[in-house]
Amino acid sequence: MIKKWYINGEWREGTEYASLRAPYTGQVIAEIPQATKTDVEEAIQAAKRATGAMKELPAHKRATILGELIAQLKERHEELARTIALEAGKPLQAARGEVDRTIATYQFAQEEAKRIHGETIPLDAAIGGEGRVAYTTRQPIGVVAAITPFNFPANLVAHKVGPAIAAGNTIVLKPASQTPLSALLLAEMLDTTELPKGAFNVITGKGSVVGEELVKHPDVAGITFTGSPEVGIDLKQKAGLKRVTLELGANSAVIVDNTNITKEMVQRIVWGSYVNNGQVCVSVQRIYVHNDIYDIFKKMFTEEARKLVVGDALDEKTDISALISTSDVKRIDRWVQTAVSGGANIVLGGNMRNERIYEPTILENVNVEMEVSCQEIFGPVVVLHRFHDFKDAISHVNTSKYGLQAGVFTNNLTHAMEAAKHLEVGGVMINDVPTFRLDHMPYGGIKESGFGREGIKYAIEEMTELKLITFKW
Ligand code: NAP
């Protein structure tokens, strides 16, 4: 199937194409146009021309357009879920869950479109302010370039497109090369709405070509990027004075304090560790367990992880499927084998099932400097660490160069409060895994996990300019 781009409200053919393969079967599922710099320029100019029309749209109209999109998403729910499962290798149940969340994200955007407002400023609080009044508004910044990763090809796009439309901006979207189909399906849906022509454009191709061009272009006002720290940090350095939001990676941790371990808690941590094959920016990677309960936790966790069903992403029963690329499978195996050579124990897994699938894996006796612990593994591998003192557990979590979210299971209120205060992350989940996210929460990281916040209301702040108006009488 030969795909086309969506620029200026029209479907266009490319001059060069690349074959897109399904991660699970390796079979070609589409031919995707590869943009040149000229194509990117066209998309940016279309988005720039549409800024005037978007700025004129009243809030209720922007909300209506998002409502029309939501209706389409509900109608084409299963089609989008299957597209995600096929192109990303995401197990179908998880893909359906992603579509539910995508709808919720656009619903929040629809609501927030009507709540964008400023405040009045008491100017007479300063000498010289007598007889004056001031208020602020939030205005759209203009053209937003959205660059997205493969692991949530619909919902992470929604976290950029939803607030951009809600705020009255125009968009050039560059989806990950492995997951362009969900983005092109979104374009089909938006095409049926009353969104002004050119306000939403999708351009596909290599990040090194399309992304670079978007970041350097003077007509792009803001970059909203979700992806790896390496690429994100490089983009920020090149972006100059543009607004930049970076949602990057992590090696997220959960602390299991000396507490009653329940089956439900263990199942929740297994979910947080292996959902979407561990390819989630807030996947549980490091589990810090109190020494007194370490052995029982290990036993229960291993029993639950062993139950995960490995198979085809399109099979209803599958929990774990293909990773996004065969090179990632090899990288993960290399990291695991290096850890084992350095003295780590394999508690479960530790093998490639085949060139596309890595088995759910648990390691212990891991040195914190090993890649499996200190780098982002982005696969179905967790490491168990013991701790004796809760304060030490917090310090261990904080040794990470990342800081996205952390989870803590504890019944001890003082420990919960200490964790809330001292964990160096963007979000602390008490009695839950770091993987917990609802789509209106402020979401983002510190350190190498990013810069700025998403969660519709917060993303709108990043995508609008505060403007002051004063009156004198
Ligand atoms: P990635 O390789 O960094 O790619 C992300 C996007 O950036 C893709 O669209 C990619 O295009 C593009 N890109 C690549 N090189 C570029 C360049 N030089 N200039 C501009 N754009 C460029 O990340 P990924 O492998 O898709 O996703 C996994 C990463 O995303 C993990 O680190 C994960 O933790 C992170 N992530 C973070 C969050 C969060 O909210 N914090 C959420 C999800 C994922 P191509 O595909 O064409 O290379």
Side-chain angles (χ1 to χ4, degrees):
M1 189 194 351
I2 297 176
K3 301 300 291 188
K4 292 181 180 172
W5 288 312
Y6 188 69
I7 298 178
N8 200 31
E10 288 158 14
W11 294 98
R12 306 251 187 108
E13 284 173 12
T15 45
E16 277 178 41
Y17 287 80
S19 297
L20 177 68
R21 291 176 184 275
Y24 182 70
T25 59
Q27 282 171 358
V28 174
I29 48 176
E31 297 295 330
I32 305 296
Q34 302 294 298
T36 61
K37 289 185 177 178
T38 317
D39 302 317
V40 180
E41 177 70 28
E42 266 191 52
I44 294 172
Q45 291 316 319
K48 188 180 173 191
R49 284 193 301 276
T51 51
M54 277 304 279
K55 223 173 168 179
E56 291 307 315
L57 282 184
H60 69 81
K61 191 74 195 171
R62 301 195 302 270
T64 302
I65 290 166
L66 287 161
E68 290 165 354
L69 171 61
I70 291 161
Q72 285 280 311
L73 282 160
K74 287 182 177 167
E75 205 176 302
R76 301 180 74 175
H77 189 293
E78 185 64 12
E79 183 186 355
L80 179 56
R82 287 185 174 272
T83 302
I84 295 169
L86 184 66
E87 69 177 352
K90 178 174 287 195
L92 190 55
Q93 293 174 41
R96 288 191 183 121
E98 180 177 348
V99 181
D100 291 340
R101 280 186 60 189
T102 304
I103 291 171
T105 302
Y106 284 114
Q107 280 169 337
F108 282 117
Q110 181 188 25
E111 290 164 12
E112 289 300 333
K114 297 181 178 178
R115 293 187 197 132
I116 301 171
H117 57 80
E119 56 185 0
T120 56
I121 316 290
L123 285 188
D124 66 354
I127 297 166
E130 297 87 346
R132 293 173 193 267
V133 67
Y135 68 92
T136 60
T137 58
R138 298 206 76 99
Q139 298 208 326
I141 56 174
V143 178
V144 171
I147 304 177
T148 52
F150 72 82
N151 63 334
F152 284 86
N155 196 32
L156 291 180
V157 166
H159 271 283
K160 301 182 183 319
V161 173
I165 294 176
N169 291 304
T170 66
I171 305 135
V172 178
L173 168 65
K174 189 284 191 237
S177 289
Q178 182 57 46
T179 54
L181 301 180
S182 312
L184 294 170
L185 196 53
L186 172 72
E188 281 182 32
M189 297 185 202
L190 275 169
D191 191 53
T192 67
T193 71
E194 296 165 83
L195 191 69
K197 212 169 130 124
F200 175 73
N201 307 275
V202 185
I203 190 131
T204 51
K206 283 201 181 81
S208 50
V209 177
V210 181
E212 289 265 329
E213 198 55 21
L214 288 172
V215 168
K216 289 184 184 157
H217 203 289
D219 291 330
V220 172
I223 306 285
T224 166
F225 173 84
T226 301
S228 59
E230 298 70 38
V231 176
I233 293 165
D234 180 55
L235 290 184
K236 185 157 187 304
Q237 280 160 355
K238 292 179 179 151
L241 286 178
K242 290 181 176 60
R243 288 286 188 91
V244 179
T245 306
L246 300 178
E247 297 292 347
L248 311 177
N251 58 348
S252 299
V254 62
I255 300 175
V256 184
D257 200 5
N258 193 359
T259 180
N260 260 353
I261 307 175
T262 62
K263 190 169 178 187
E264 189 195 0
M265 178 204 292
V266 173
Q267 284 173 338
R268 183 71 174 159
I269 303 175
V270 167
W271 172 82
S273 304
Y274 299 108
V275 63
N276 195 23
N277 312 320
Q279 297 169 125
V280 181
C281 47
V282 277
S283 274
V284 174
Q285 181 174 335
R286 298 173 292 151
I287 309 181
Y288 291 89
V289 187
H290 193 281
N291 188 55
D292 291 356
I293 55 160
Y294 183 90
D295 291 335
I296 179 73
F297 178 84
K298 181 173 117 181
K299 183 167 177 286
M300 289 172 76
F301 187 81
T302 309
E303 273 168 15
E304 286 301 324
R306 210 188 292 281
K307 291 180 193 163
L308 294 168
V309 178
V310 178
D312 184 346
L314 286 163
D315 187 331
E316 304 278 344
K317 294 189 209 76
T318 296
D319 298 306
I320 297 275
S321 190
L323 290 173
I324 200 66
S325 70
T326 51
S327 61
D328 278 296
V329 178
K330 285 189 197 128
R331 170 187 56 81
I332 290 168
D333 192 50
R334 202 172 53 243
W335 287 8
V336 170
Q337 299 319 325
T338 307
V340 171
S341 324
N345 278 349
I346 296 176
V347 179
L348 183 73
N351 290 309
M352 288 163 55
R353 173 71 58 102
N354 56 41
E355 60 167 351
R356 302 181 188 283
I357 296 183
Y358 204 79
E359 289 185 351
T361 294
I362 305 170
L363 299 174
E364 65 175 354
N365 291 341
V366 167
N367 180 321
V368 290
E369 279 153 21
M370 290 173 173
E371 287 149 321
V372 289
S373 185
C374 73
Q375 301 290 348
E376 178 180 36
I377 198 147
F378 224 57
V381 178
V382 296
V383 296
L384 301 179
H385 294 288
R386 274 173 208 270
F387 72 90
H388 293 83
D389 181 66
F390 191 77
K391 284 195 170 61
D392 290 343
I394 292 181
S395 305
H396 289 314
V397 173
N398 288 346
T399 54
S400 175
K401 61 182 172 180
Y402 305 111
L404 196 46
Q405 297 202 136
V408 180
F409 285 88
T410 186
N411 291 330
N412 182 321
L413 184 59
T414 308
H415 286 179
M417 297 308 287
E418 277 175 11
K421 184 166 178 188
H422 296 295
L423 283 170
E424 294 167 0
V425 287
V428 176
M429 313 296 138
I430 305 292
N431 289 323
D432 211 337
V433 283
T435 329
F436 175 68
R437 181 182 183 187
L438 297 175
D439 292 289
H440 59 311
M441 280 167 37
Y443 180 80
I446 61 170
K447 302 194 215 172
E448 289 189 23
S449 288
F451 188 78
R453 292 291 178 269
E454 289 196 335
I456 305 303
K457 176 176 164 225
Y458 307 92
I460 287 174
E461 284 173 13
E462 308 273 348
M463 292 183 188
T464 49
E465 208 66 76
L466 190 75
K467 189 173 198 178
L468 173 80
I469 297 102
T470 75
F471 281 84
K472 181 174 180 300
W473 72 84

